Amino acid sequence: MGNTKKRILAAVDGSVHSLEAVKYVGTLLPAEKVEVTLFNVKDKIPELYYDVEVNPEFHPTLGAFKEWALEEEKAVDEFMNKCRESLVENGVPGDAVTIAVRERRQGIARDIAEESRNGYDAVAVGKRGRSPLKDLVLGSIATKLIGKLTHVPLWVVGGRPRAGKVLVGFDGSEGAMAAVDYVGSMLGGSDAEICLVHVGRVLDIYRETYEVIFNSEETQKWLDEAKVQISSAMEKAKARLMDAGIPENRVKAKVITGKSSRAEAIVDEAKENDYGTIVVGRRGISKVEEFLIGRVGNKVIHLSRDAAVWVVG
């Protein structure tokens, strides 16, 4: 990790999910090498009035708004201090934690995205927000951020993940190598365990329809060549992680075959072996693959429960 501190933007909304995201950040990186900004987008009016405020006949009482604003400000202050305390308890120096509360401007996701351009190494959010109904109807803030944060990795934290074990979805592409380099830059010098996992495509489901193309001899030849290529790429990736300061005995690789769904295979592997962090890249081996990898990332986030999913691009 070198001597440069890693700057993490933790977007919080007062929910237990965002508090768990903060706790995850506090336990993931060496405490002396991290700076955290606790970022909250504050509503000017109660969410209940978003639609009716545009009605010129709607005139809420000034007293009601003042009372709501005071209570909301108090609740936000208490929650932000609680988040700060959780970081300090994990060894993060108090002066390395910044609290930033901003009034809503363009929208919560857009405001987070705007702040994220100020030199952060990652944006961390809870998988769900304070309002499950809002998440269901409008799409969660995390889901919106996946599409907006192409310039900085996004960490979507679900449940209470174990921070020290990391699974990296790996396909040998430049995007996958970039994700490996990012993991090394963030976790080098820590005691993290990292496993590179490649999920091969299953071809059996196509054989009946495309028997001429997928005959057994040609299929086996293709699989043998693919295995050699991915093994070589994995060795290079492992070397990069070790160069970044991760001990050789804490880096391993695994190839999974016979699976029709990459996302399901990755999530199952993480669950079975207690990997609390899953890393997926935005870009794959081609433009088509880039689109598919995006879908894989989304699916991994939705399928995983007690895990943090890093979307790196």
Side-chain angles (χ1 to χ4, degrees):
M1 289 176 65
N3 295 319
T4 304
K5 288 191 175 184
K6 300 303 178 183
R7 300 186 64 228
I8 312 299
L9 177 64
V12 298
D13 64 355
S15 69
V16 63
H17 306 286
S18 60
L19 178 58
E20 291 300 333
V22 171
K23 291 179 179 179
Y24 168 82
V25 170
T27 57
L28 179 72
L29 305 172
E32 71 280 5
K33 294 184 178 180
V34 63
E35 294 180 350
V36 182
T37 296
L38 300 170
F39 186 73
N40 175 266
V41 179
K42 181 176 65 175
D43 287 319
K44 298 178 182 178
I45 62 172
E47 186 178 328
L48 176 64
Y49 296 129
Y50 282 169
D51 293 329
V52 295
E53 70 164 334
V54 299
N55 186 339
E57 297 181 0
F58 173 70
H59 299 288
T61 63
L62 182 60
F65 267 113
K66 283 185 175 180
E67 183 178 351
W68 173 86
L70 289 172
E71 290 298 320
E72 185 72 5
E73 184 175 352
K74 179 181 177 182
V76 169
D77 287 345
E78 290 177 353
F79 183 78
M80 299 301 266
N81 286 324
K82 188 175 183 179
C83 288
R84 180 201 286 271
E85 289 171 6
S86 74
L87 292 169
V88 172
E89 286 173 2
N90 280 295
V92 179
D95 59 3
V97 182
T98 301
I99 292 177
V101 179
R102 311 279 174 80
E103 284 195 351
R104 179 174 179 155
R105 299 171 185 170
Q106 305 173 68
I108 295 176
R110 290 183 179 180
D111 290 350
I112 294 171
E114 182 180 349
E115 174 62 23
S116 72
R117 294 185 177 279
N118 293 323
Y120 293 98
D121 295 290
V123 175
V125 296
K127 184 176 178 180
R128 294 176 61 188
R130 190 165 57 177
S131 171
L133 179 60
K134 182 182 177 184
D135 285 349
L136 178 65
V137 175
L138 299 179
S140 71
I141 298 302
T143 300
K144 292 179 180 179
L145 287 174
I146 292 174
K148 295 180 181 299
L149 301 187
T150 57
H151 56 283
V152 60
L154 174 66
W155 300 356
V156 181
V157 184
R160 297 179 178 179
R162 177 183 174 185
K165 295 189 67 176
V166 180
L167 183 158
V168 182
F170 187 80
D171 66 0
S173 66
E174 290 185 10
M177 284 296 189
V180 168
D181 289 339
Y182 176 75
V183 170
S185 72
M186 297 301 292
L187 301 180
S190 71
D191 59 356
E193 298 176 34
I194 299 172
C195 183
L196 306 171
V197 174
H198 174 73
V199 181
R201 289 280 187 173
V202 61
L203 298 178
D204 291 342
I205 57 175
Y206 298 109
R207 284 179 179 167
E208 287 186 15
T209 306
Y210 304 104
E211 188 173 356
V212 175
I213 299 175
F214 294 106
N215 63 74
S216 58
E217 184 177 344
E218 288 299 317
T219 298
Q220 190 58 52
K221 181 180 178 181
W222 181 88
L223 289 173
D224 290 342
E225 291 176 353
K227 185 176 180 180
V228 171
Q229 291 176 1
I230 199 64
S231 295
S232 176
M234 281 183 157
E235 288 303 314
K236 291 179 181 177
K238 289 168 66 177
R240 290 192 184 190
L241 290 171
M242 288 183 281
D243 288 343
I246 298 172
E248 183 176 4
N249 65 350
R250 302 188 80 81
V251 181
K252 59 183 179 179
K254 182 174 183 178
V255 176
I256 300 174
T257 59
K259 301 292 183 179
S260 59
S261 169
R262 287 177 176 173
E264 289 180 8
I266 288 171
V267 172
D268 288 345
E269 179 69 17
K271 183 177 180 181
E272 290 172 9
N273 294 284
D274 197 24
Y275 288 100
T277 300
I278 302 173
V279 182
V280 293
R282 286 184 181 275
R283 297 181 179 179
I285 58 178
S286 68
K287 288 297 181 181
V288 174
E289 186 74 2
E290 182 175 339
F291 173 70
L292 292 174
I293 286 293
R295 289 175 58 189
V296 170
N298 270 297
K299 194 171 182 181
V300 167
I301 289 172
H302 283 92
L303 290 175
S304 61
R305 295 190 180 277
D306 289 330
V309 180
W310 295 7
V311 182
V312 182

